[in-house]
Amino acid sequence: MRDLEIRGAGDILGASQHGSINAIGVTHFTRLLKQAVENLKSGKSQIDFINKPKEETIIELPVTAFIPDTYIEDRIDKIKFYQQLASCDNHATLAELRKEMIEKFGPLPTEAESLLKVLELKIHATHANLLAIKETYFERQKRVELILGPRTTPREIMKLLAKNPRWMISGQVLKIKKEELGLDWFSNLCNNIEIFAQAFDEQILPTTN
């Protein structure tokens, strides 16, 4: 693996032994290769794969989430992990990256832990067909708004509101007063979105806290 990182993977990346794999890392490269093979086996062309990326949830929340210089000092290593984290679209891969970071650099600082939590939230939200999660202000109150995707039906919305009577709905926007999420609002929001994602698969929305 170290040899591949140094010398590159040759023609498999389109440029013979130019070391391109070093830019993304062996783990991320093999993941991309596996995904490309699966797309081709399912009948999707490489053009379809490039031109039709999966729509991801936009997260706009006041959370301090980044990799501190004191944690990963080398810029190249830091950029590499940012690239891998940015392309992460499932919990298994995110867990692998978390483990790799801890093994190489030690326990995660608060900022890096928050970054991974935001990515976990994004994966759940994308799975639950949410277009965006953002903080807004209305009548001097902070709110968290969930922009529901087109696959969310009125029936699902009514079930969700029945279990959360204090939440409000306006069109395709679900509005939550931030104070109702408590002091640990971000963790509670993440828990609710995770439950929503699970319920979206089952078409049954259980009670949330």
Side-chain angles (χ1 to χ4, degrees), residues 56-70:
E56 297 181 343
T57 305
I58 298 172
I59 307 293
E60 296 179 359
L61 297 172
V63 179
T64 303
F66 64 96
I67 301 175
D69 293 338
T70 53

Side-chain angles (χ1 to χ4, degrees), residues 38-68:
E38 290 175 351
N39 275 279
L40 291 173
K41 285 184 176 180
S42 64
K44 297 180 181 178
S45 69
Q46 190 66 13
I47 294 178
D48 291 336
F49 177 67
I50 294 174
N51 292 338
K52 298 180 180 179
K54 186 177 181 180
E55 188 173 6
E56 297 181 343
T57 305
I58 298 172
I59 307 293
E60 296 179 359
L61 297 172
V63 179
T64 303
F66 64 96
I67 301 175

Side-chain angles (χ1 to χ4, degrees), residues 60-104:
E60 296 179 359
L61 297 172
V63 179
T64 303
F66 64 96
I67 301 175
D69 293 338
T70 53
Y71 184 62
I72 301 181
E73 298 180 357
D74 187 270
R75 291 185 178 181
I76 295 178
D77 284 340
K78 183 184 292 186
I79 291 173
K80 185 184 299 183
F81 271 103
Y82 270 130
Q83 289 175 325
Q84 295 181 51
L85 289 170
S87 63
C88 183
D89 61 357
N90 63 80
H91 297 291
T93 301
L94 186 60
E96 290 178 6
L97 291 174
R98 174 193 291 272
K99 181 179 178 181
E100 184 178 352
M101 291 174 71
I102 293 175
E103 289 177 348
K104 288 186 176 182

Side-chain angles (χ1 to χ4, degrees), residues 4-57:
L4 282 172
E5 289 182 347
I6 294 173
R7 299 192 302 119
D11 289 335
I12 201 166
L13 288 176
S16 180
Q17 301 301 332
H18 278 199
S20 300
I21 198 170
N22 193 42
I24 60 175
V26 172
T27 302
H28 183 50
F29 165 72
T30 54
R31 185 165 61 250
L32 291 175
L33 181 61
K34 180 181 178 181
Q35 186 176 9
V37 171
E38 290 175 351
N39 275 279
L40 291 173
K41 285 184 176 180
S42 64
K44 297 180 181 178
S45 69
Q46 190 66 13
I47 294 178
D48 291 336
F49 177 67
I50 294 174
N51 292 338
K52 298 180 180 179
K54 186 177 181 180
E55 188 173 6
E56 297 181 343
T57 305

